[in-house]
Amino acid sequence: MNTLVVAETQSGRLRGTTLSTVRFAQEVAEKTGSPWSAVVIGHHNIAEVAERVASFGPAKVYTVTGEVFEHCLAGTYTAVVAKVVQRYGFQVVAAASSTTGRDFMPRLAARLGAGMVTGVCAWEPRDGSIVYRRKVFSGEVIATVELSSSLHALTIDATEFGDPTPGEKAEVVAFDLGELETYRARFVELRSQQSARPDLTEADVVVSFGRGVKDPANIANVEKFADALGAALGGTRAVVDSGWMPNDLQVGQTGKQVAPKLYFALGLSGSIQHVAGIRGARKIVAINKDPEAPIFQVADIGLVADMQTALPEMLESLNG
Ligand SMILES: Cc1cc2nc3c(=O)[nH]c(=O)nc-3n(C[C@H](O)[C@H](O)[C@H](O)COP(=O)(O)OP(=O)(O)OC[C@H]3O[C@@H](n4cnc5c(N)ncnc54)[C@H](O)[C@@H]3O)c2cc1C
């Protein structure tokens, strides 16, 4: 199954969420004996990003550059990736299950008549094709999906496949787009939260809090704790709905999926919708005053305590 990875770039660098997709493509190549390639689309620093992807051992890395590709728009990405897929006859096209991947991949699938699976977390070869597994009901149930189309369009869980292994350096070639389509949408402006903290989806350490914070005035201590660890800040939907946190910092099924090395869950119950977003975390530390809180079922380290008391003590030992 000849696979094309659509590498995601942001501000001229490869997004960490693509790494799991690259590892998926490597696995498919190893087990089915077919090659994989990648396409890197963007404006700034694309050569450098392409070199990095090339170091993971694909057959080829195609680059598509131009001002119009600086920001991902579903229409432009669909048009470009469709051309690459059609020109080289890929059988599988895969991108990270990120906001970008989930935006353009369904459109691409519709345009090319491909069957689609979102959030692929595992796969296995079957009868010369591939069957995929994806989590449903917040990861409580795993569905097995078989596609009857000749082209498979996939978004890949951003954490399940881990990091790619280095491989033989591939050739990087500029893809000739030919005549440009008239794109019906253009990028105007991005308004995002400005923060000196790391990106929630790529941080090594994430500090999240829930309704147990009790009062917005107590958030300052959580922020100090996060900053002392160089961590990203996140929260539950309950605190977002209370207006205590911007919604782009919500972690969970309807928020961000995170995969840090260390995840702090402070004063949050551990609802299945929240836990769905932290399954990729390597170690979970929970502080909750209720010893029966469900978060303790998934935590590696648990502290039954009032977070308002525990946090200043932890800060003191960090700073002192
Ligand atoms: C379709 C759908 C999608 C959803 N998507 C998401 C999502 O993406 N992300 C998400 O987070 N939620 C999501 N939710 C909401 C989810 O069901 C929960 O309501 C929410 O996660 C609860 O947030 P919480 O843990 O902050 O609050 P609560 O459930 O109220 O828990 C607060 C916790 O704090 C503890 N606590 C209280 N005081 C203290 C203290 N002083 N010190 C320490 N601990 C204390 C309590 O013991 C309790 O366990 C979704 C719900 C639905 C229906």
Side-chain angles (χ1 to χ4, degrees), residues 2 6 10 14 39 43 85 89 95 111 125 139 162 167 178 192 199 214 247 249 252 315 318:
N2 196 356
V6 184
Q10 189 182 41
L14 182 68
V39 58
H43 184 40
V85 169
R111 183 186 277 212
S192 64
D199 185 303
K214 297 282 189 230
N247 63 4
L249 296 185
L315 262 171
L318 273 175

Side-chain angles (χ1 to χ4, degrees), residues 78-192:
T78 298
V80 170
V81 179
K83 280 193 175 174
V84 180
V85 169
Q86 285 172 323
R87 193 166 309 164
Y88 299 110
F90 287 100
Q91 294 156 294
V92 177
V93 53
S97 198
S98 58
T99 311
T100 300
R102 288 196 300 246
D103 192 17
F104 80 86
M105 194 58 84
R107 192 185 276 238
L108 180 76
R111 183 186 277 212
L112 298 180
M116 177 160 178
V117 188
T118 54
V120 171
C121 62
W123 68 282
E124 64 184 61
R126 191 178 290 175
D127 303 330
S129 186
I130 292 180
V131 290
Y132 304 97
R133 303 212 200 287
R134 64 184 297 265
K135 294 173 194 162
V136 289
F137 299 115
S138 301
E140 297 294 297
V141 175
I142 306 285
T144 302
V145 186
E146 196 175 334
L147 297 175
S148 54
S149 57
S150 53
L151 176 66
H152 297 182
L154 313 173
T155 65
I156 307 293
D157 189 291
T159 60
E160 283 293 331
F161 291 92
D163 287 341
T165 52
E168 198 177 317
K169 192 125 189 179
E171 188 192 357
V172 176
V173 283
F175 181 79
D176 178 12
L177 267 181
E179 205 170 310
L180 276 184
E181 286 187 30
T182 310
Y183 302 118
R184 279 179 289 183
R186 75 186 169 85
F187 176 85
V188 178
E189 184 190 9
L190 173 71
R191 288 191 194 173
S192 64

Side-chain angles (χ1 to χ4, degrees), residues 209-214 235-239 250-256 266-274 287-290 293-294 305-308:
F209 64 94
R211 223 181 331 228
V213 78
K214 297 282 189 230
T236 63
R237 178 153 144 184
V239 292
Q250 180 184 315
V251 174
Q253 182 193 334
T254 45
K256 299 265 165 66
L266 310 176
L268 60 86
S269 57
S271 63
I272 55 163
Q273 293 90 356
H274 187 79
I287 301 180
N288 196 302
K289 67 175 189 181
D290 174 9
D306 182 328
M307 64 177 278
Q308 266 68 255

